[in-house]
Amino acid sequence: MKLSEPRILAALPELGVERIGGASLAERTSLGIGGATDLLLIRRHSALPDLIALLRGAGVAYKFLGGGTNLLVRDGELPWVILQLARQEPEIRLEGNSAHVGAAADLGRTVTFCAKHDLGGMEGLIGVPGTVGGALRMNAGAYGTQIGSYVRQVELFRAAGVRIETLRENEISFEYRHTSFAPDDIMLAVKLELPSKPYREILQGIRICNEKRRSSQPLNQKSAGCIFKNPPGGSAGRMIDELGLKGFSVGDARVSDRHANFFVNAGHATCADMLSLIAQVRDRVHATYGFQLENEVILWTQ
Ligand SMILES: Cc1cc2nc3c(=O)[nH]c(=O)nc-3n(C[C@H](O)[C@H](O)[C@H](O)COP(=O)(O)OP(=O)(O)OC[C@H]3O[C@@H](n4cnc5c(N)ncnc54)[C@H](O)[C@@H]3O)c2cc1C
């Protein structure tokens, strides 16, 4: 979508919002799939209420992009604009055992920054790519750690009230790859409380997690991590593997040979290829195990 409403175009510079015309989502997502649209880069959080009011007033649909590591996006010209937060300086501020982190900060860099200041707990999250905002939305987790466990407070833009609010931990629930945030809430910053731990000990934990990832995941291929959520007490990857579906492909969309719950773009996969692969694998699992796998990857395909 190309923004053409003069009132919006005129307001963007005053709001500190940069418009990037024809931004390719294939270049901005880890799967490398997706069409193009205008992207609005937001430099000041305080601009959000006015920006959203303007977009809504003009009937312009929008979606919010973090690091693009958990997304499957449709091809062709996209029917919505993309909003994204620009990184802010400083991204992380420490105060005792609390870390105040901007939502646009890289999750991995946040884990290592805190580690260098003897704040641990998040070692398991080290290889989860993407932003802190995306991790909050997804309640990202790995190796027994989930970000929600450390959240004390979240500052967010609530689209319902068109205003910025702060929620405390007791007002938010974090479950397995699910949170109680409204679908159109935009996370702006978080206060994490982390246990004190010597850097050397944290580093040891980080090394172990990195090694586990390297040995089990196709890290040099384009993917969005796990496609499906694990069923309670089970493993989606194990079920797919047991069905002999590693390597199964539709066009260039392929079930990884390394990890059966990672679907990779092995060349020029289209969104339709990936959707067809997801549907076929889900059907095969359902036919054999009677379980309907739920997507972990977020679809921007409508
Ligand atoms: C190689 C690889 C390994 C992975 N391993 C793991 C893993 O171990 N555990 C795990 O949980 N995930 C894993 N993932 C998936 C992904 O990295 C996480 O879900 C990550 O937290 C997504 O963050 P993002 O910034 O990239 O979000 P995006 O992909 O950009 O967005 C995902 C969703 O979050 C929303 N969102 C993003 N930022 C915000 C914000 N500030 N406010 C509101 N909504 C927002 C988007 O609108 C979208 O709905 C992996 C992915 C890859 C490619």
Side-chain angles (χ1 to χ4, degrees), residues 3 11 20 31 77 94 100 103 112 138 154 183 202 207 212 216 219 240 249 254 287 289 300:
L3 270 178
I20 300 167
L31 256 179
E77 192 181 339
L94 300 180
H100 301 262
T112 47
M138 301 302 304
V154 175
I202 303 173
R207 286 203 181 112
K212 280 188 192 164
S216 64
L219 298 183
I240 300 166
S249 52
R254 183 183 168 92
Y289 296 94
W300 285 358

Side-chain angles (χ1 to χ4, degrees), residues 64 66-70 129 131 134-135 137-138 140-141 177 185 187 213 223 225:
F64 190 87
T69 65
N70 200 38
T131 62
R137 156 72 61 200
M138 301 302 304
R177 303 299 176 272
D185 283 345
M187 268 50 89
R213 241 174 229 285
S223 83

Side-chain angles (χ1 to χ4, degrees), residues 91-92 94 101 106-128 132 192 194 197 199-200 202-203 205-207 210:
E91 289 186 309
I92 309 173
L94 300 180
V101 193
D106 179 85
L107 179 64
R109 274 207 292 270
T110 302
V111 174
T112 47
F113 181 91
C114 293
K116 283 178 188 156
H117 291 84
D118 298 321
L119 294 176
M122 298 197 293
E123 293 86 323
L125 297 175
I126 188 66
V128 179
V132 166
L192 302 166
L194 302 166
K197 242 189 200 185
Y199 178 48
R200 209 184 275 191
I202 303 173
L203 205 57
I206 285 176
R207 286 203 181 112
N210 273 338

